Amino acid sequence: MIWQENVEYVIMLTNLEEGSTIKCHQYWPNKGEGLDLGLYSIRVEEETMYAHFVIRRMTLRKKCVSGSRTVVQFHYTQWSDHGTPNPLNFVVFHRHFRHKMKPVLHPIIVHCSAGVGRTGTFIAFDVLTRCGSATDKVNVIEYIKAMRKDRMTMIQNVDQFIFLYKALFEFFRRKGGFVKREDFIKCYSDSSARETRKRIADEFNRLSSLKPEYCVDDFKMGKKYLSLNSTKSVLPVDHHLVYLTSYVRGRDSYYNAVTLSSFTRPCEFISAQFPAAGAAIDLARLLVDQESHFLVSLNPLSGISEIKDWVHEEIKNFKLGPYEIIKITQSILNTEIRKTTLKIKEKKEKTFHTVHLYECLDWNVDDVLPADTSTLINLIKQFCLDRKCTPDGPVTLISIDGATCCGIFIAVYNAIEELLQDNEVDICTIVQQLQCCRPEMISTKVEYEFCYKAVSDFLNTDNVYANI
């Protein structure tokens, strides 16, 4: 069908398996391999991973016919069959599709498992956003009726129908977009310039209006365990809350921590607060339960009473309930960063859980920003070197409330990832995605300005750019 209809682009909206059900058979080979399908052969030339989707560029050949064709597949991986995705993440996926595709005269294939629910929702969204952008109005009902004349039950249930409205709302209220690396350097290299500051301030003001509106019921767990929160003003959104799964007598399953994605991986980060009084054991549980081998503290731990023993030079091992924590190595990587390797062992288990702990030594716990952008850039650089060797498991970030400092780290990290992968960046969308999970992240203009300055300084430091 792809060959016959001269298809150049395929939108895939299902995973191969969801739960125990096979939703779609894999019709492409692994990257760098070939797949023979009778008259046709397929080879994946390039595969680019994002947090919520994958882009694959394939070469399609027909035997006995000279030449080949290029087919690009946009595979959205975060939409379950019985649910709907995050509207913003879906809009970002659609934007990448329209941004990277070239004008075509031939059909675009859109498919999920049955080809009506998720498929119908995507097609309606694509058509209505283009129609609305051109005419300033949309008619959702009439377009769905038109689709159903060609294929029955397009947009299969009420949740998908509601989601379509939410996604359209998200699309039409957003502004801005990708900034090429060279344009970013040109526009933001002098962050103190009046024009630059105004541009960033205007963008921050727009961003403030895009924050998600959560209600009291969205923070039920945080309110239930108020005594376990370092501050009562930063509570986790239940939908993104990380639960503790290990049993320890007298302890509950709650810790003020949420999951967030990097630019290229879903649930790459856990953003957590410093332990409340008597809750250091819960941080150990969090690391073990989530199989997190990296703990990044944005502030020095020597001043955090609950976990200062973790980095104390003279303490080699200590106990926290059923856990024994053993310090293996400790070194000063530079004047700003200390690295400590720990092993956490539960009494009943024979194996250890290894944790690489990075501390930012010159980012005071009372300061919203570090002294200089180089502090953050060097921390990201040092962390990335070890992360490449141990890519599995989430990275746990900790700060006074799990939002301050952590938001800046992830925003700059994700912006650097986007620049390295796509040679362009959209800091506004990066921050908006973080605020969907932690609304308190980067809540001030000075934090937002710092993100721009850090990314700009990164781009202007060729040595760091090459090493990353």
Side-chain angles (χ1 to χ4, degrees), residues 112-169:
C112 49
S113 50
V116 288
R118 289 173 278 188
T119 295
T121 308
F122 179 90
I123 292 173
F125 177 81
D126 181 71
V127 172
L128 291 169
T129 51
R130 287 186 287 137
C131 176
S133 298
T135 66
D136 288 333
K137 57 185 178 181
V138 295
N139 191 324
V140 178
I141 296 292
E142 289 304 314
Y143 185 70
I144 294 175
K145 287 180 180 178
M147 279 199 303
R148 288 180 170 181
K149 289 179 181 178
D150 296 321
R151 190 176 181 99
M152 289 172 16
T153 68
M154 291 289 265
I155 302 187
Q156 211 166 7
N157 56 53
V158 68
D159 288 339
Q160 292 168 353
F161 182 69
I162 293 171
F163 169 76
L164 175 60
Y165 274 91
K166 289 181 177 179
L168 288 170
F169 173 71

Side-chain angles (χ1 to χ4, degrees), residues 197-389:
R197 289 178 65 88
K198 184 181 184 306
R199 187 187 297 118
I200 295 174
D202 290 344
E203 193 173 276
F204 177 76
N205 290 335
R206 290 199 304 270
L207 184 64
S208 298
S209 68
L210 299 177
K211 274 192 177 183
E213 297 181 2
Y214 289 113
C215 63
V216 175
D217 287 345
D218 293 313
F219 301 94
K220 284 182 179 177
M221 291 298 291
K223 289 185 175 297
K224 180 179 178 181
Y225 295 99
L226 272 180
S227 62
L228 293 177
N229 297 297
S230 298
T231 171
K232 309 303 180 278
S233 60
V234 181
L235 303 179
V237 179
D238 287 350
H239 182 70
H240 302 286
L241 181 64
V242 179
Y243 289 90
L244 304 179
T245 57
S246 56
Y247 172 76
V248 174
R249 173 179 263 180
R251 306 304 303 175
D252 288 300
S253 61
Y254 177 82
Y255 195 92
N256 190 330
V258 298
T259 56
L260 302 105
S261 298
S262 70
F263 183 72
T264 59
R265 293 186 182 191
C267 303
E268 170 79 343
F269 296 109
I270 295 173
S271 178
Q273 66 170 25
F274 290 135
I281 187 174
D282 294 334
L283 178 58
R285 293 168 65 200
L286 177 73
L287 295 168
V288 174
D289 292 352
Q290 300 300 317
E291 299 182 0
S292 175
H293 294 284
F294 290 93
L295 176 62
V296 179
S297 175
L298 283 310
N299 313 116
L301 294 182
S302 54
I304 310 301
S305 59
E306 289 300 316
I307 47 178
K308 63 182 181 181
D309 289 351
W310 294 34
V311 294
H312 196 290
E313 291 87 346
E314 297 179 3
I315 297 177
K316 301 302 178 184
N317 65 296
F318 57 95
K319 292 185 178 181
L320 280 174
Y323 296 103
E324 181 182 11
I325 298 181
I326 304 168
K327 188 186 300 176
I328 305 301
T329 61
Q330 188 173 70
S331 58
I332 301 294
L333 301 181
N334 55 46
T335 57
E336 306 154 341
I337 304 164
R338 175 166 61 184
K339 178 184 176 183
T340 306
T341 300
L342 305 167
K343 288 188 180 294
I344 304 175
K345 184 181 183 299
E346 190 178 1
K347 290 179 182 178
K348 299 178 182 178
E349 301 293 331
K350 295 181 179 180
T351 58
F352 289 90
H353 178 77
T354 302
V355 176
H356 303 289
L357 166 59
Y358 293 83
E359 284 176 275
C360 193
L361 298 176
D362 66 348
W363 193 342
N364 192 286
V365 70
D366 297 321
D367 295 334
V368 173
L369 304 176
D372 191 79
T373 59
S374 61
T375 298
L376 183 59
I377 292 172
N378 289 334
L379 178 60
I380 291 174
K381 174 186 172 182
Q382 292 290 344
F383 159 72
C384 283
L385 292 174
D386 274 1
R387 181 60 171 167
K388 284 184 178 179
C389 301

Side-chain angles (χ1 to χ4, degrees), residues 46-84:
E46 186 179 310
E47 188 173 70
T48 308
M49 308 295 293
Y50 296 84
H52 306 104
F53 58 96
V54 184
I55 300 177
R56 300 182 181 92
R57 185 173 60 84
M58 313 179 198
T59 298
L60 176 63
R61 298 181 185 275
K62 184 177 182 180
K63 294 174 184 177
C64 303
V65 176
S66 60
S68 63
R69 297 179 187 174
T70 298
V71 179
V72 182
Q73 181 203 57
F74 290 80
H75 182 189
Y76 194 77
T77 56
Q78 301 296 310
W79 192 344
S80 63
D81 192 24
H82 301 290
T84 55

